[in-house]
């Protein structure tokens, strides 16, 4: 859930509410303490007033008791009952339990003596009304003694409460002074805090605006690299700073693009001036290319003349040798990126083997065996000759006689399997693994399938390394086949030391180029 952005308005409201809250707390604290002290003083005041009322009610009760006993009038009796009830009501709220407090003990004694006094007064009234003179006189004397005790107790309670009032007044004054000092300190702290908040917040607003103004002046001077620091905040100033940085970056990129375009236009102008020179060089290159085409034609024409000469001189073996050499050279002059049928490749291989037999007449024997219908499959050009050459130059180089090289083409589970085998020195398992290892650049091309011309890379490497005929090694043949078919498992090698080697090519019966056509 997205938080509500901390806008400047919201911050102002928040800080204002914080200040109001602080002042409210101070006011509430002062009010609470003032009311607490007021309640204490009010309680003491009510206690003093209650003591004076009890004193007054006791005096009137005594007065009307004596008056009734003397005159026995109904008015005095009514007034006695009235003040008796009031005095009884005055005793009702007083403490009646034993507490470790002088006032509480005095109140308890006052309740006990006051209750006894009222009972004795009632007994005197009843005896008077019954004309029992000795009883009412005795009851009156007891009530008079109790009244004296009550006056003492009431006076003592009044004195204690007066002293408590004085102490409370002094405490009230002390607490008032302390409260005034505390409230003054809190108000001063609130004022200082408010000033600090105003200063800090004003700086947080003003400083980014000043930096933005400075950055704007730098842009006006053409300096686009003076970046401003954006505070990690979520308010209008931070948003404006981010927008300013975005604008600054856009202007910088635009100016850089203008410089790049100017540089490109400059380079284009230079290229235009070079075009005329390049055209002249191109014409010279075309002339050189025509000249380079003359040399192979001259070679083949010369070989044809030699063949005719051999016919005229009845040199049959020389004629056959020259014919096979000419045919093989014509086949190798084709671009290696072109495809040929397996039959064409085997025909060229026949010519190459004929030349090898002339060179090694007794050391090596060659056999070629193919199934019917395998000649039509299309393969990269010049694939089998390097394998045969590798067997002759490396596998059978140490044999003086008895060397064998076999080439077979068979149908195998929907594919064409071509084996080139020899009984030479063989290879180690590490050498075989290294030959079959997929190089990273080859694997990437294989994973993406064949490119528009998958032979070009391998052809350039082969031609740059060792030449067109004898230098195309086994490793490059494997790479070319993998590039051409887009699969890795198209070549397998079985070899043992001093037992020979079999290189098996697994060729799809229909290549995807043929299916597309």
């Amino acid at each position: 859930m997205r938080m509500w952005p901390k806008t400047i308005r919201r911050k102002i409201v928040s800080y204002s509410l914080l200040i109001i809250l602080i002042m409210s707390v101070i006011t509430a604290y002062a009010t609470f303490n003032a009311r607490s002290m007021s309640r204490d003083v009010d309680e003491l005041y009510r206690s003093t007033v209650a003591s004076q009322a009890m004193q007054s009610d006791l005096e009137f009760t005594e007065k009307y008791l004596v008056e009734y006993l003397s005159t026995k009038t109904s008015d005095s009796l009514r007034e006695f009952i009235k003040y008796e009830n009031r005095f009884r009501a005055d005793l009702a709220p007083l403490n009646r339990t034993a507490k470790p407090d002088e006032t509480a003990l005095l109140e308890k004694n006052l309740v006990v003596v006051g209750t006894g006094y009222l009972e004795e007064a009632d007994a005197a009234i009843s005896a008077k009304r019954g004309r029992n003179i000795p009883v009412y006189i005795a009851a009156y004397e007891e009530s008079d003694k109790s009244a004296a005790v009550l006056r003492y107790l009431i006076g003592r309670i009044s004195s204690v409460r007066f002293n408590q009032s004085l102490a409370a007044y002094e405490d009230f004054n002390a607490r008032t002074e302390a409260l005034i000092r505390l409230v003054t300190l809190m108000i001063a702290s609130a004022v200082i805090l408010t000033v600090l908040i105003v200063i800090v917040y004003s700086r947080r607003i003003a400083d980014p605006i000043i930096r933005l103004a400075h950055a704007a002046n730098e842009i006006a001077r053409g300096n686009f690299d003076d970046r401003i620091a954006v505070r990690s905040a979520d308010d209008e100033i931070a948003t404006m700073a981010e927008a300013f940085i975005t604008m600054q970056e856009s202007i910088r990129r635009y100016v850089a693009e203008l410089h790049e375009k100017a540089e490109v236009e400059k380079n284009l102008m230079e290229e235009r001036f070079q075009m005329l020179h390049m055209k002249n060089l191109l014409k010279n290159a075309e002339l050189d290319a025509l000249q380079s085409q003359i040399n192979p034609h001259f070679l083949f024409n010369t070989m044809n003349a030699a063949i005719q000469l051999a016919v005229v001189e009845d040199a049959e073996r020389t004629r056959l040798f020259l014919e096979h050499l000419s045919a093989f050279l014509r086949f190798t002059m084709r671009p290696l990126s072109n495809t040929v049928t397996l039959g064409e490749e085997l025909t060229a291989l026949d010519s190459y083997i004929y030349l090898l037999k002339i060179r090694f007449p007794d050391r090596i024997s060659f056999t070629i065996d193919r199934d019917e219908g395998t000649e039509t499959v299309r393969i990269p050009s010049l694939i089998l000759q390097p394998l045969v050459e590798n067997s002759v130059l490396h596998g059978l180089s140490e044999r003086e006689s008895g060397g064998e090289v076999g080439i077979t083409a068979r149908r195998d589970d929907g594919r064409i399997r071509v084996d080139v085998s020899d009984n030479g020195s063989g290879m180690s398992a590490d050498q075989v693994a290294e030959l079959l290892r997929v190089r990273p650049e080859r694997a990437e091309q294989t994973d993406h399938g064949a490119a528009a011309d998958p032979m070009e890379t391998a052809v350039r490497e082969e031609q740059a390394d060792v030449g067109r005929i004898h230098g195309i090694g086994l490793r490059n043949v494997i790479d070319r086949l993998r590039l051409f078919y887009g699969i890795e498992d198209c070549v397998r090698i079985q070899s043992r030391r001093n037992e020979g080697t079999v290189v098996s090519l697994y060729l799809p019966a229909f290549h995807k180029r043929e299916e597309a056509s």
Side-chain angles (χ1 to χ4, degrees), residues 276-290:
L276 293 175
H277 179 65
M278 293 298 294
K279 288 181 179 180
N280 291 332
L281 292 178
L282 181 60
K283 289 181 179 180
N284 293 334
E286 290 175 351
L287 292 175
D288 291 340
L290 291 175

Side-chain angles (χ1 to χ4, degrees), residues 255-265:
V255 172
E257 289 176 359
L258 290 179
H259 286 300
E260 290 177 359
K261 289 181 179 179
E263 187 67 23
V264 169
E265 290 179 356

Side-chain angles (χ1 to χ4, degrees), residues 45-308:
Y45 173 75
R46 288 196 301 270
S47 299
T48 303
V49 172
S51 298
Q52 293 178 354
M54 185 179 297
Q55 180 74 31
S56 175
D57 292 338
L58 177 61
E59 290 176 356
F60 280 108
T61 302
E62 285 185 283
K63 174 185 175 182
Y64 288 110
L65 174 61
V66 173
E67 184 178 334
Y68 177 76
L69 294 177
S70 301
T71 61
K72 199 180 178 181
T73 60
S74 59
D75 290 337
S76 58
L77 179 60
R78 186 169 47 251
E79 291 297 324
F80 169 78
I81 293 173
K82 170 184 173 181
Y83 284 102
E84 180 191 29
N85 291 331
R86 290 178 64 175
F87 184 71
R88 194 183 301 276
D90 293 336
L91 295 175
L94 298 180
N95 178 55
R96 299 175 183 269
T97 59
K99 293 183 179 180
D101 179 72
E102 183 180 4
T103 303
L105 293 174
L106 290 172
E107 288 181 354
K108 179 183 178 184
N109 293 332
L110 182 61
V111 170
V112 173
V113 176
T115 303
Y117 167 75
L118 293 176
E119 292 176 354
E120 293 166 355
D122 288 338
I125 293 293
S126 298
K128 178 66 176 177
R129 295 177 69 182
R131 300 171 185 252
N132 191 346
I133 294 174
V135 174
Y136 90 78
I137 291 174
Y140 171 73
E141 290 176 353
E142 290 296 328
S143 66
D144 187 54
K145 293 178 182 179
S146 297
V149 176
L150 288 173
R151 282 192 295 273
Y152 168 76
L153 291 174
I154 292 173
R156 181 61 182 164
I157 290 174
S158 297
S159 176
V160 171
R161 286 178 175 172
F162 178 75
N163 292 332
Q164 290 178 347
S165 298
L166 290 177
Y169 178 74
E170 293 176 357
D171 181 64
F172 178 80
N173 286 335
R175 289 171 65 185
T176 301
E177 292 295 331
L179 180 61
I180 291 173
R181 288 193 298 270
L182 180 60
V183 170
T184 302
L185 179 62
M186 293 177 69
I187 292 175
S189 301
V191 171
I192 294 174
L193 179 60
T194 302
V195 172
L196 290 176
I197 290 175
V198 171
I199 293 174
V200 171
Y201 187 63
S202 61
R203 289 188 62 184
R204 293 188 67 182
I205 293 178
D207 290 350
I209 295 177
I210 293 173
R211 288 197 296 270
L212 283 174
H214 175 73
N217 291 331
E218 291 297 321
I219 290 178
R221 296 188 184 97
N223 181 13
F224 302 101
D225 297 326
D226 188 11
R227 298 179 61 85
I228 62 174
V230 180
R231 293 183 294 106
S232 57
D234 188 12
D235 55 18
E236 291 88 343
I237 296 178
T239 303
M240 181 170 61
E242 291 175 357
F244 185 88
I245 292 175
T246 302
M247 179 192 70
Q248 181 184 27
E249 185 65 21
S250 298
I251 294 175
R252 188 189 64 78
R253 286 199 302 268
Y254 179 70
V255 172
E257 289 176 359
L258 290 179
H259 286 300
E260 290 177 359
K261 289 181 179 179
E263 187 67 23
V264 169
E265 290 179 356
K266 178 182 177 182
N267 294 334
L268 288 176
M269 292 298 296
E270 293 178 355
E271 290 178 359
R272 289 176 183 175
F273 285 110
Q274 293 176 359
M275 285 299 293
L276 293 175
H277 179 65
M278 293 298 294
K279 288 181 179 180
N280 291 332
L281 292 178
L282 181 60
K283 289 181 179 180
N284 293 334
E286 290 175 351
L287 292 175
D288 291 340
L290 291 175
Q291 181 65 35
S292 66
Q293 293 177 2
I294 294 175
N295 293 332
H297 290 294
F298 175 76
L299 176 61
F300 289 124
N301 291 334
T302 301
M303 292 185 66
N304 287 332
I307 293 172
Q308 294 175 3

Side-chain angles (χ1 to χ4, degrees), residues 25 40 54 114 133 144 165 186 222 226 250 315 320 340 364 390 456 460 489 493:
V25 170
D40 294 341
M54 185 179 297
I133 294 174
D144 187 54
S165 298
M186 293 177 69
D226 188 11
S250 298
L320 291 175
V340 297
I364 304 172
N390 186 76
E456 289 299 329
R460 286 196 297 268
D489 187 23
I493 300 176

